């Protein structure tokens, strides 16, 4: 069965420090992986995606994510966190058997403290 | 230039009523979706729809029905509203490919009293 796991409900990081939000997945075939961000009382905004090629994907707002096939992970990273990065982050995956639908993680709340 | 729009933004109604939420996308996408986000922020796909196929999440009660007057619109109609229907409903759209990105509307917060 296809699935996405975001093992941390919440991640706390001090402003200026690097941040990592974890995501692992299980799909049939090659995965198509996505990260979205949701600010309070807003819709989901696309950050970045991995389709194929370079394992390091760069996205919006200085975020990047590293695809690791052997560990079936797609962790979201940023070298230096900003208070404005505080939000809810969702990882999602689409595989061959998904009927074109995204399989979503439960979300990770990221809190950046000044 | 809103890509995916929804109306209304807020909807407060009584149990037993019937209501609709409208969604429009101006991205030229082939596929549209409805999601439900509960109070714990879990996202649940309810429907995906293109001009060829409606895919229904089997856990969605048949009180919920999507209606698509054309490719740019996918409305959500809910009959006999229940307290448990209170949630935020998001519309999204994308092209059909596996690698294509879904773009989301701002959401409709439904409160059933």
């Amino acid at each position: 069965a296809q699935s996405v796991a975001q093992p941390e409900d919440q991640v706390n990081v001090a402003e200026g420090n690097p941040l990592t939000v974890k995501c692992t997945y299980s799909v049939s075939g090659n995965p198509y992986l996505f990260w979205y961000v949701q600010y309070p009382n807003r819709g989901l905004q696309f950050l970045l995606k991995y389709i194929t090629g370079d394992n390091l994907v760069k996205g919006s707002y200085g975020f990047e994510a590293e695809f690791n096939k052997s560990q079936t992970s797609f962790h979201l990273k940023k070298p230096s966190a900003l208070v404005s990065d505080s939000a809810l982050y969702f990882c999602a995956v689409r595989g061959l058997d998904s009927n074109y639908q995204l399989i979503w993680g439960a979300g990770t709340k990221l809190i950046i403290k000044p | 230039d809103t890509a995916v729009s929804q109306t209304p933004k807020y909807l407060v109604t009584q149990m037993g009523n019937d209501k609709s939420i409208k969604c429009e996308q101006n991205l030229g996408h082939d596929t549209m979706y409805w999601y439900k986000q509960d109070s714990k922020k879990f996202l649940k796909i309810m429907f995906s729809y293109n001009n060829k196929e409606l895919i229904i999440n089997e856990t969605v009660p048949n009180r919920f029905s999507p209606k698509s007057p054309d490719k740019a619109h996918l409305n959500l109609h809910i009959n006999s509203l229940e307290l448990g229907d209170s949630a935020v409903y998001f519309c999204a759209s994308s092209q059909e490919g596996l690698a294509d990105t879904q773009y989301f509307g701002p959401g409709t917060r439904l409160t059933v009293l």
Side-chain angles (χ1 to χ4, degrees), chain A residues 35-51:
Chain A
W35 276 103
Y36 284 79
V37 60
Q38 185 179 24
Y39 298 102
N41 299 314
R42 304 286 294 277
L44 278 76
Q45 295 179 32
F46 169 69
L47 276 180
L48 50 80
K49 66 181 175 184
Y50 172 82
I51 303 171

Side-chain angles (χ1 to χ4, degrees), chain A residues 6-21:
Chain A
Q6 292 181 244
E8 302 150 317
D9 290 337
Q10 183 169 309
V11 171
N12 298 303
V13 178
E15 187 177 28
N17 283 359
L19 70 87
T20 298
V21 182

Side-chain angles (χ1 to χ4, degrees), chain A residues 36 38 49 94 100-101, chain B residues 37 55 96 98-100 102:
Chain A
Y36 284 79
Q38 185 179 24
K49 66 181 175 184
R94 190 186 276 138
Y100 295 95
Q101 295 185 11
Chain B
Q37 186 176 44
I55 299 174
E96 279 193 87
L98 287 172
D100 287 308
Q102 289 184 15

Side-chain angles (χ1 to χ4, degrees), chain A residues 37-45 88 90 104, chain B residues 4-6 8-9 21-23 32-38 41-47 74 76 87-93 102-110:
Chain A
V37 60
Q38 185 179 24
Y39 298 102
N41 299 314
R42 304 286 294 277
L44 278 76
Q45 295 179 32
L88 187 59
F90 289 95
W104 293 86
Chain B
V4 183
S5 59
Q6 295 178 228
K9 188 169 176 65
I21 306 172
K22 295 184 177 181
C23 178
M32 296 183 73
Y33 311 81
W34 277 106
Y35 285 89
K36 179 181 180 180
Q37 186 176 44
D38 64 21
K41 306 297 184 184
F42 294 136
L43 273 172
K44 174 183 167 182
I45 180 72
M46 301 178 72
F47 306 99
L74 183 66
L76 181 65
V88 180
Y89 292 84
F90 288 103
C91 177
S93 72
Q102 289 184 15
Y103 293 92
F104 282 74
T108 296
R109 183 175 295 275
L110 172 65

Side-chain angles (χ1 to χ4, degrees), chain B residues 12-42:
Chain B
V12 181
T13 188
Q14 300 288 330
M15 269 196 316
N17 285 351
D18 302 338
K19 290 294 178 184
S20 293
I21 306 172
K22 295 184 177 181
C23 178
E24 176 181 2
Q25 55 96 4
N26 62 7
L27 297 168
H29 287 162
D30 296 317
T31 306
M32 296 183 73
Y33 311 81
W34 277 106
Y35 285 89
K36 179 181 180 180
Q37 186 176 44
D38 64 21
S39 57
K40 294 185 178 179
K41 306 297 184 184
F42 294 136

Side-chain angles (χ1 to χ4, degrees), chain A residues 10 23 28 33 40 50 57-58 75 79 83 91 95 102 108:
Chain A
Q10 183 169 309
C23 173
S28 303
L33 293 150
Y50 172 82
V57 179
K58 294 189 183 296
H75 300 332
V83 173
C91 180
L102 283 171
T108 298

